[in-house]
Amino acid sequence: MSAAGRHIVYIQFPYLAAARVRRRDGDSGQPVLITRQVGGVDMVVAGCARAAAFGLAAGMRLADARALCPRLVTDDFDAASDHADLWRLALWARRYSPLTAPGDTGIWLDIAGAEHLFGGTRALVADCLCRLYRSGLRAVAATAPTCGAAWALAHYGTGSQRFMTAPKSSGDSAGACVVRRAHLRQHLAPLPLMALRLAPGVAAKMHDTGLRAIGDIIGLPRAPLAARFGTDLLTRLDQALGDCDESFSPISPPTPLYVRRQFVEPIAAPEDVRRMVHILTDDIAALLQQAGLAARRIRLGWQLVDGLVFAKDVHLSRPGRDRALLHRLMAGLVTVIKPEFGIECGWMEALECSPLAPLDDDLPVLDGPNSKAACDAYAGLVDRLVARLGYGAVVQLAPRESWQPETAQSCVLPGPAHYENRSSDWSGWLAATASRPAAPRPIRLLAYPQQIEVTALLPDHPPARFVWYRKQHKILYATGPERIAPAWWQAPPGSLTRDYFCLYDQEGAGFWVYREGLPERDEMPRWYLHGFLA
Amino acid sequence: MAGNGMAGNGASDSAGPALLGCYSNFTFLTGASHPAEMVAAAAQAGWRAIGIADVNSLAGMVRAHMAARDHAIRLLVGVRLRPADGPDVIVHPCDRDGYEGLSALLSAANMRGTKAAPILHLADLARLPARTALLVMPPLHPDAAYQAHLQMITQFAKGQVFAGLCLYRDGADHLRCDAVVQIATATGVPVAAAADALYHHPSRRPLADVLACIRAKKQLDDAGYLLSRNAERHVIDHAEAVRRWQPWPAALAGADQLAGLCQFSMDDLCYDYPHAITSHGRNAMQELEFQTWRGAQNRYPDKIPDKVIAYLEHELRLIDKLHIAPYFLTVFDIVRFARGRGILCQGRGSAANSAVCYCLNITAVDPERAQPLFERFVSEARGEPPDIDVDFEHERREEVIQYIYDKYGRDHAGLAATVITYRRRSALREVASVFGLSRDVQAALAGEVWGREGSGLTAAALDAAGLDPDDRRLRLVLRLVDDISRFPRHLSQHVGGFVITRGRLDHLCPISPAAMPGRTVIEWDKDDLDALGLLKIDVLALGMLSCIRRAFDLLQGHYGRRLTLAAVPPEDAATYDMLCQGRSVGVFQVESRAQMAMLPRLQPRCFHDLVVQVAIVRPGPIQGDMVHPYLRRRAGLEKVDYPSADLRAVLERTLGVPLFQEQAMQIAIVGAGFSGAEADRLRRAMATFKKSGEISRFHDKMVKGMIARGYDAAFAERCFRQIEGFGTYGFPESHAASFALLVYVSAWIKCHYPDVFVCALLNAQPMGFYAPSQLIAEAKKSGVNILPVDVNHSDWDHRLEPDPLHATGRHSLRLGLRLVKGLRRHEGERIAASRAAMAADSRYQATSDSPRSAGKVAFTSLAAIIRLADISKAALQAIADADGFSSLGMTRRQALWAVRGLDQDRPLPLFAHAGRRHDSLAGDEPDVALPVASAGENVAEDYRSLGLSLKAHPLDLLAKPLAVAGWQRCGLVHQAPDGKRMRIAGLVTMRQRPGTASGTVFLTLEDGAATVNVIVWPRLTDSYRAPLLRAQIMGLVGRVQRQQAVTHVIAESLFNLNGFLRHLDAHAGTPAAVRMRSRDFR
């Protein structure tokens, strides 16, 4: 396509990041600011329409912004998310033209040859802005024959040079003009130099010498300009005016990792269903192999003859694409499928894909519980259990650093993060650390402590005997007390401090009991059994 | 066991039960109680001695010592050494020898590393003297390594070694203690019980946990085993300790034995003055007498007034009696050095009460003019050294400091420390992040704390900030913030408090290297030094002294007048006339708005009036409601009467209204029957310990005492309230007198030599209240001609040039390059120097066809400047930004264009001398016609680079559009009748929110012709927040208020008129927008 044929639209989103924060956290009714630390100072880099109404603008210090408007919602600047958002918007904008791309603050569209499908350029842009508005995004757009000019007008244009967001796809924006090549200079001349996408320092330097608008430099000799402000300036000027070519590389949509089988005749026999799953699994495994990806989730879908659609997900505890593994997992699904009057078609989709985890190939082979073989076997077991019992039904215990026995372990969903330190921490659970002597812990902790009858000397002696389930235990050996106070910042009021003792009775059985309530604080002591010692 | 028990019993007769191994919060971010809290709790719990030992530091020891004295419990001075390669070892010195060795050891460790991270190894313990007791703390699980360490320490440490036993109730107490006892027995070392207490009461456990989190930069929820498992590490009751230690009876006995060994007290530290500098075999006192009388003769060349002779004799008698002559001689020596170098200095504070100090040239307040109260300065009752603070020129104080180090040596001179404590705001930030509160919630909390220092956050305030006052975490945060505020956070160095000793300084207190190389800091702050009675000399910096010295130099250079502080003509009517009109911009102390408003009301006519003026505009008298009665009495509107004949003598000089700190003390003595010592304690309570609430103890005594002596209860309350106000913000009369002298001198120079004054003041920047633009505007009003910055005329500093147009010989002020933003000092100075060199070099005289002014040689091109002055392109650009190339025939824009066109940053000197043209692009480059700057753009750019413009005032350029919009000029306010409602627009030059004005904001607006003072009441500040903070040009609707020649405008509504700046520069709003900075909230 020649440069002359271009018809560029640039759509700029001034409040993109703030809109994302609102989508994520809900609208609190307060201005949203996006900030970034620059040399230890929080600087505002973007905001929302409300913030703009308060006079909060990019380039301010956050402290100043708070002084102006004490109630603010802030979030950290996140270039990756911004870019991801723009990428998705560019993808969406392919409804208007096959040539779209994310830019730095918005998206590019080249709509040459596509305008008439929407009733002309104005109607196209108006339709686009209206749809964006309905999804909660404010946008400003401009059209021009060159990329540079479209960007310049979208950011710095005035009045009818730009299309503003309108709630209706009516002719509101119709007043905005579609800049023609012949009028480019005339339109660009009054815009500030920043409109040329210059590095900030360059524009400031030119500002000093009185060169402030694009029009100021259009007629100037080029060599002195280049010598002072760099050749970039002239390139940008030429690009904007169309004297040199500039294009963006349009994105192509990602192809889903998706396989599908349509049957000539509906299938219903269990054997056929099994075969369908088998073929689809083969296909998806081959596809993953080809793409060099591994999936954490595989979705199996099927459609019945009456048009009903069903889907079922299988979760992997870590990204995988191994054919045998997938077969094993998917085989379990066959029983779930109820063909009724027959299945019209089936498909399989790989989700949450990532490049293949290094664990699969790169981990050095070790012996012991952390070796690759052990990990694989464990992962295989977990995955099969999950496939059988359902996602969320299988959990693992993980140690937590906490003095309170009840919270010293937690249930977690099995996942890849858990593998790397699955086994080593458990020995730490009982081991001594610098801050923690090896205080004994029971091998079995009762879910609920059970109250017991105790004979013990006050104030802090271990019991001499206690009764549990009507059986009397005479204590021959005891250690303690280990005093554990409630976690003061989260325990409910009224939580009491406990003194734990290790007791061994005449039969050599070990008990972990505690007394709740301190006699020295005039609290009524009560005794509980909390676990069994080895 | 039995043997140990015997030893313990023997010792306990003298030592009593001793609690060992306590931390205080001077182990920063670990200990969770103040030293005084630990001591008080131990006394309460039945202990007779407490061993406080902070990690590698003695910083909290003086406070602990003071508390121990109050609670009649013995303090075992100690340090918890934390070597890099072994267990903690608590060292308690047995006597002064042991203490000195310990202090020297710590000093050496600090000097090897830093105060925060001293470098200390187990082997260093060998350097401890024999008269020490070492308590080796056990690890949580004593093992072979512990045994090896214990053996090592026993072998090479000369002192008595003990093995520590600790009970933590962690389930392993028995295991641990049995193991330690076994190891100790094997090593042949006695054991001793150590509390290892972090806090004085179990309720401080949350605080200890939070401190641990702050230390580790973790949040509570992730801190895990970093947190404590229980609240057992507190000061335990003695009876309970006896019960718990039953299985190990030797433990407590060992502790008592250790305490019996360590009889050292901080009181044993006695201070020796450094050797006095004497001559002709005189002793210190004789030397002081000699120097005093000789000084007196210099001060009063004609005849020493009888009054002064009487003062001197009285003072010398007292000095002799208290043996503090060496102190005076030390200060005298420092001051003599400064004088010799031409460094201006003046004693401030109570020293100005002394005629001896006047004669020794330390102070400059003539005792003949003021009535000194020597007892305020040196009191027999206090029996402690006086406190002489000396101000030096701020730019040359470093020379004085280096002199002190050189003369006394780093082993004998060190800077006092300053204990930096948590303030509510910093505490809030750190505690909130430990609790994982989001930055937004933190900011909301901090916003509510703003200006509420000291008072707790109320539920309503939290509600207003959008926070839930019932939220448990929030309440915990606020409670902990209260606990933690005023906790020491780290030690910093005092601005200029010097401790000089005769013996080695590191034997007195551990020293550590200061941030600045070649300086040492001790661990105690000024209150600690005071409490121990150690000498401290404050070597302070005062900007106004630099300014006055510059002014004296200029007077001598340009007018041939030699002056000193004491030689400025006294009681000059023209000077007082000027002050009475409130024209005091730039004058020391009385230039603030409050002072300026007070001047016309007070109408100072003599030196004592200035003393009052300085003292009266202070929060103390203002809060005590003393200002208006004084003004009414002075104006004759109210009868001068005295509550009693006794108080008449105290209050006569201030018309019956107490204004000075001394008077507050005397009211307590005369009116409420305080003894002199009590009154002095009261003063101390006012000055330093106000925060600790000690002052309220005096309340009852004073009010009851006054009522008993027949004073009105309301009057008594008022007096006390005023004393409270004086606490932090009152001036003693002597101090006010010292300052008043600087007020007078600076006002005198301003009145008679405004050109000299503005030049000196600008060269001493940054200082004072006003920006250069306002000082220059003020000088213009006084008729001083101001010349712009120019590369061919300006030096780095501002300077005076003869003004041929001015008949009286007054000089013009040539603005200096120091005003140019972005120009570095050495480059600016090189420009001036190379011009001077050119002038001296005949070659340039011959070949130069340059424009000359007054016989001066000038640069002719940018290339010449680069070649001759050897400066960078950036420097040239800075000067171009300031429009400093007019003498080269270049406008600002042309100059910038040319500078940008220079082909490299800095030419090689070789090529430069080969004559290559460096603005060379000009030769083969087409001419470029740059847009011509409008007047508005020029002014805006002047402001950007210089902060002012000589071309025009921006408001004058905007006069037309502002008038069209209905805004009036500032000048009209001063003609308007009282109460008239006006719409004024002006440039905001200052915004203030004084702490005493409970949220009222004061603004100053100006245009080219006049300035207007604006008052914004607190109820407006919220609704007009944005214009209040953002407006550079402000529109104001308000009423004129006129009181005794003082005019204010009371704001009703405010508008941000920054939009008008577009009329100056159409591109304002782009990144290089017009910026006119005001001085905000300083």
Side-chain angles (χ1 to χ4, degrees), chain B residues 495-634:
Chain B
V495 286
F498 262 95
V499 178
I500 305 173
T501 54
R502 180 182 295 180
R504 281 182 50 175
L505 183 65
D506 61 344
H507 284 180
L508 183 70
C509 174
I511 57 173
S512 47
M516 209 179 284
R519 290 196 187 182
T520 47
V521 189
I522 66 166
E523 283 186 345
W524 294 329
D525 79 351
K526 63 177 178 29
D527 296 345
D528 297 336
L529 295 173
D530 253 14
L532 290 179
L534 301 188
L535 168 149
K536 182 179 65 102
I537 300 170
D538 271 356
V539 179
L540 302 171
L542 193 63
M544 184 43 82
L545 282 174
S546 302
C547 170
I548 290 176
R549 201 254 310 149
R550 284 166 191 275
F552 286 166
D553 290 351
L554 288 169
L555 277 175
Q556 192 173 354
H558 291 270
Y559 291 93
R561 235 184 133 155
R562 279 188 79 103
L563 283 176
T564 63
L565 282 182
V568 171
E571 309 296 26
D572 176 66
T575 304
Y576 286 116
D577 286 346
M578 179 187 80
L579 288 176
C580 288
Q581 291 163 28
R583 283 173 47 219
S584 62
V585 171
V587 176
F588 184 61
Q589 277 285 315
V590 297
E591 61 171 347
S592 75
R593 266 188 52 170
Q595 291 275 11
M596 244 187 210
M598 186 63 71
L599 283 167
R601 298 162 74 180
L602 195 77
Q603 292 284 320
R605 299 296 340 171
C606 65
F607 184 72
H608 184 254
D609 290 347
L610 284 185
V611 179
V612 170
Q613 166 83 28
V614 167
I616 201 168
V617 185
R618 297 285 301 170
I622 292 172
Q623 281 165 3
D625 196 20
M626 299 297 171
V627 177
H628 292 287
Y630 181 81
L631 288 177
R632 280 199 300 274
R633 288 174 180 205
R634 202 181 145 83

Side-chain angles (χ1 to χ4, degrees), chain A residues 60 66-67 71 74 76 205 208 210 212 228 401 403 434 437 459-460 481-483 485-486 488-489 491, chain B residues 140 169-170 205 209 221 225 227 229-230 232 243 439-440 443 464 472 897 900 925 941 1025 1030 1065:
Chain A
M60 264 183 181
R66 280 205 201 281
R71 296 206 191 175
T74 62
D76 287 332
K205 273 192 203 168
D208 298 345
R212 294 167 176 204
R228 285 167 176 80
E401 283 203 4
W403 293 115
D460 57 359
E482 176 184 4
R483 179 163 292 188
W488 50 269
W489 70 99
Chain B
L140 285 174
R169 293 223 171 169
D170 58 353
R205 167 186 171 228
D209 282 349
D221 297 309
Y225 296 135
L227 305 176
R229 122 172 55 197
N230 54 39
E232 289 299 295
R243 191 183 69 75
R439 268 193 298 172
D440 291 339
R472 176 131 177 269
W897 181 260
R900 294 255 157 70
E925 196 176 52
E941 280 166 20
R1025 206 178 249 273
R1030 301 293 289 183
D1065 185 343

Side-chain angles (χ1 to χ4, degrees), chain A residues 372-418:
Chain A
K372 181 176 182 309
C375 278
D376 283 350
Y378 184 76
L381 171 69
V382 170
D383 288 344
R384 282 159 78 180
L385 287 171
V386 172
R388 183 73 52 84
L389 302 170
Y391 188 72
V394 180
V395 292
Q396 273 181 318
L397 286 177
R400 272 183 75 222
E401 283 203 4
S402 167
W403 293 115
Q404 285 69 42
E406 291 88 343
T407 52
Q409 55 195 6
S410 59
C411 292
V412 294
L413 288 173
H418 189 57

Side-chain angles (χ1 to χ4, degrees), chain B residues 749-778:
Chain B
I749 300 170
K750 179 182 160 78
C751 178
H752 294 282
Y753 298 96
D755 47 350
V756 168
F757 185 68
V758 70
C759 185
L761 199 53
L762 286 174
N763 283 338
Q765 290 292 317
M767 65 165 285
F769 218 60
Y770 296 95
S773 65
Q774 291 159 291
L775 297 175
I776 287 169
E778 174 75 11

Side-chain angles (χ1 to χ4, degrees), chain A residues 7 121-122 125 141-144 153 158-163 173-180 183 187:
Chain A
H7 195 167
T121 305
R122 286 198 187 92
V125 178
T143 71
L153 291 168
T158 50
S160 66
Q161 288 173 329
R162 306 199 281 184
F163 296 84
S173 293
C177 59
V178 178
V179 176
R180 299 281 162 221
H183 303 131
H187 276 285

Side-chain angles (χ1 to χ4, degrees), chain B residues 977-1038:
Chain B
D978 190 20
K980 181 162 167 61
R981 197 144 176 275
M982 306 197 70
R983 283 166 58 84
I984 316 144
L987 185 69
V988 181
T989 54
M990 202 170 313
R991 302 164 222 255
Q992 280 187 298
R993 186 200 305 263
T996 45
S998 54
T1000 305
V1001 175
F1002 297 96
L1003 300 171
T1004 306
L1005 304 187
E1006 66 163 40
D1007 60 17
T1011 58
V1012 173
N1013 291 329
V1014 182
I1015 295 173
V1016 187
W1017 297 123
R1019 66 188 157 76
L1020 287 184
T1021 51
D1022 275 345
S1023 32
Y1024 291 101
R1025 206 178 249 273
L1028 205 51
L1029 294 172
R1030 301 293 289 183
Q1032 300 174 47
I1033 295 187
M1034 183 179 283
L1036 172 85
V1037 178

